Amino acid sequence: MREGARLFERGATAHAVYVVQSGLVKETVPGPDGEECIVRLVTASRMAGMSALAGLAYRHSAFVMQAGVACRIPVAHIEQLRQEEPGACQQMLADWQCAADDSDRIIAEFGHGPARARMARALLFLQSVQRAGEAFCPRRTDLADLLAITPISVTRLLGAFRREGLIAGSTDRCLAPDLARLARIAYPASPVPLRASAAS
């Protein structure tokens, strides 16, 4: 799946789910101003388009934030799997809970608090879902949508973090060499930072 590609559109008939094997997918809904709001980040080994499992239309639109690989599984195949391997249902329920946890994290961690702390949390999350040796930083507009700030604020914060040595690399490939300092900025009131969900 290439960066920027749309996997499915909100309101469309849901014929399949997508299991992300690598890369990063965002699920969005329209906000009050008509702009798309990020409500879920789908990382490796997680499933996008889960409303299909309930026979519902897609509740979100899904776009590729970071290029990777996703497996499209038709709903008919899932129904067959449910009958042949009942244990698979338990994994689907676990994935559904992960989807709810993802949304909770976006609301609690990325939507509240000082912008500097929210940016640090986002960078820690992105670092946690990368494979060893990889580095990735979303587009400014995606970070702005995720953190509920303006793209200009995103540019200023990233510039400040670079000057402080908190991140390094090019504009689209960010390494976070000082995770301890980022964690102190992200969770100043907590001696043990909350751990962002990592790809399994």
Side-chain angles (χ1 to χ4, degrees):
M1 54 184 187
R2 56 182 173 79
E3 185 175 333
R6 182 173 63 190
L7 297 184
F8 50 82
E9 185 174 2
R10 183 175 183 267
T13 302
H15 294 298
V17 297
Y18 295 79
V19 177
V20 176
Q21 297 176 334
S22 63
L24 185 65
V25 171
K26 64 177 180 178
E27 293 193 17
T28 69
V29 296
D33 56 0
E35 296 292 327
E36 290 296 309
C37 299
I38 298 174
V39 294
R40 187 178 176 222
L41 294 172
V42 188
T43 58
S45 80
R46 303 303 185 200
M47 192 179 296
M50 297 193 67
S51 58
L53 299 177
L56 303 173
Y58 291 121
R59 296 300 179 92
H60 307 147
S61 296
F63 301 89
V64 179
M65 286 181 70
Q66 181 184 13
V69 176
C71 180
R72 182 181 184 275
I73 305 177
V75 172
H77 290 185
I78 294 174
E79 292 298 330
Q80 183 179 355
L81 181 63
R82 282 173 173 170
Q83 295 175 13
E84 296 176 353
E85 297 185 36
C89 293
Q90 188 63 35
Q91 181 58 49
M92 291 177 192
L93 288 173
D95 285 344
W96 215 308
Q97 183 59 53
C98 285
D101 292 344
D102 286 345
S103 296
D104 288 346
R105 185 190 67 247
I106 287 174
I107 293 170
E109 295 195 30
F110 301 151
H112 294 277
R116 182 175 167 86
R118 281 181 275 157
M119 177 63 76
R121 293 171 200 151
L123 292 173
L124 286 171
F125 167 77
L126 291 169
Q127 188 81 10
S128 75
V129 299
Q130 298 307 303
R131 296 176 180 175
E134 288 185 347
F136 166 67
C137 192
R139 294 180 300 178
R140 301 293 191 271
T141 51
D142 283 335
L143 278 173
D145 290 343
L146 180 64
L147 302 176
I149 58 179
T150 65
I152 292 176
S153 295
V154 168
T155 299
R156 289 173 177 167
L157 283 168
L158 290 177
F161 279 17
R162 280 196 174 87
R163 289 191 296 273
E164 295 170 35
L166 292 166
I167 60 174
S170 62
T171 56
D172 62 345
R173 293 291 182 269
C174 291
L175 292 170
D178 198 333
L179 297 179
R181 284 176 62 205
L182 273 179
R184 287 195 293 272
I185 295 168
Y187 308 101
S190 175
V192 180
L194 299 174
R195 185 180 179 186
S197 300
S200 57

